[in-house]
Amino acid sequence: MKFKNCGLRAILMAMKFEIEDVAWTTQKWHTGDITGVIFRFHGLGAPALRGEMEGPEWEWTRAGALVVYPYYGPWSWMNRSARGLCDELIEKIYRQHHLDDSVPLIMTGTSMGGLSALLYTRYSKRPIKACAVAVPACDLQYHYGERPDVKRTVMCAFQGYSEELEPLLIEHSPLAQVGQLPNIPYFFFHGGVDKAANKQQHSDRMVADMRARGLQVQYVEAPDVPHEEPPQYLAMRVAWVNQFLSPQK
């Protein structure tokens, strides 16, 4: 199976676009100085345009962070087009808000969004301060056959690329990219009875390989939790992210 390279990034670079054209942000709720920029990546199949704040966004905004929810496609698997979109979006945000390099950039996400946060942290042009993920798919080579919806969405994400499928799965698998991850703090949460992204095949292996490389990883495990992040565990991820924000003035 071969795919031909896509050119969304080139299109974005050539055209003028507003932040709200390609992302939802908490800008209208934000007051005061921005203490950090948090990219929140969604899971598989979440194409709806956003309206109000939800979940952890309230607390992050109260802490002074600008939360960004990029519209990178319902099943992009952080492909090259999605990475190009995020690159351009980040630079536009930092320019528009007159932010310098001292303002931390943090990645977070769940499920496919967890994979996206890890992969974008690996490929990002701008340095990432920290990365926090919940129930992430870490081994895309394994995940490709783990659920029927993954196979067809991966094929859609890589349609148009010139490479064979196997090297594309490696390029887009956080587990295969551990050696290229930056040396920054990481947070993982995963439930022990997750049938959508098996904990033993994904986070357990990923965290072990990251720690073997000497990376700093906080790993929260919940033996009886399925493919979800209960409120008490979400609160832990929110608090972990907050420690990397700049102090509010």
Side-chain angles (χ1 to χ4, degrees):
M1 185 185 304
K2 291 188 176 182
F3 302 88
K4 186 176 179 181
N5 210 353
C6 301
L8 177 58
R9 186 179 175 208
I11 295 171
L12 285 170
M13 292 176 70
M15 66 184 289
K16 293 182 178 180
F17 69 94
E18 301 300 327
I19 291 172
E20 58 268 23
D21 292 334
V22 295
W24 175 92
T25 78
T26 56
Q27 180 175 346
K28 73 176 183 179
W29 294 276
H30 201 279
T31 59
D33 293 328
I34 293 176
T35 61
V37 177
I38 301 174
F39 265 57
R40 186 183 179 204
F41 296 112
H42 65 69
L44 187 64
L49 298 179
R50 291 286 307 277
E52 299 301 307
M53 281 200 288
E54 62 183 31
E57 293 157 356
W58 289 103
E59 187 164 346
W60 285 331
T61 302
R62 282 194 291 268
L66 178 70
V67 184
V68 181
Y69 184 96
Y71 297 132
Y72 56 94
W75 43 67
S76 77
W77 296 101
M78 196 45 70
N79 60 13
R80 296 168 194 167
S81 294
R83 300 198 299 265
L85 183 149
C86 291
D87 285 339
E88 298 302 318
L89 178 57
I90 288 168
E91 294 311 310
K92 193 170 186 70
I93 287 169
Y94 272 71
R95 285 196 306 269
Q96 182 167 306
H97 291 279
H98 307 289
L99 306 178
D100 60 34
D101 291 341
S102 68
V103 177
L105 178 62
I106 300 168
M107 298 294 131
T108 190
T110 59
S111 195
M112 185 191 75
L115 171 143
S116 298
L118 290 164
L119 278 181
Y120 191 73
T121 296
R122 179 261 186 267
Y123 290 110
S124 175
K125 291 188 172 183
R126 181 178 284 269
I128 308 299
K129 182 71 173 181
C131 178
V133 299
V135 297
C138 299
D139 183 356
L140 192 57
Q141 292 168 279
Y142 174 82
H143 200 45
Y144 185 72
E146 188 172 16
R147 289 166 24 199
D149 59 332
V150 172
K151 182 173 290 188
R152 56 180 174 262
T153 58
V154 164
M155 292 175 67
C156 178
F158 300 153
Q159 182 63 42
Y161 285 66
S162 60
E163 295 89 339
E164 297 288 345
L165 179 61
E166 192 64 20
L168 286 169
L169 292 176
I170 292 171
E171 177 186 334
H172 295 83
S173 175
L175 185 65
Q177 298 296 326
V178 166
Q180 304 301 319
L181 287 172
N183 188 7
I184 61 171
Y186 295 86
F187 176 97
F188 278 69
F189 166 78
H190 217 129
V193 290
D194 189 337
K195 295 182 179 179
N198 182 274
K199 174 179 176 291
Q200 291 73 29
Q201 292 291 337
H202 293 285
S203 289
D204 284 3
R205 296 169 63 204
M206 182 80 179
V207 170
D209 284 3
M210 292 172 72
R211 286 175 172 168
R213 229 201 89 191
L215 298 178
Q216 177 187 337
V217 186
Q218 180 174 337
Y219 188 17
V220 177
E221 304 173 69
D224 300 322
V225 173
H227 193 65
E228 60 186 46
E229 187 182 24
Q232 66 270 33
Y233 296 107
L234 173 59
M236 295 174 69
R237 180 161 61 98
V238 169
W240 187 89
V241 166
N242 281 352
Q243 70 181 309
F244 298 102
L245 300 175
S246 300
Q248 288 183 299
K249 297 177 182 179

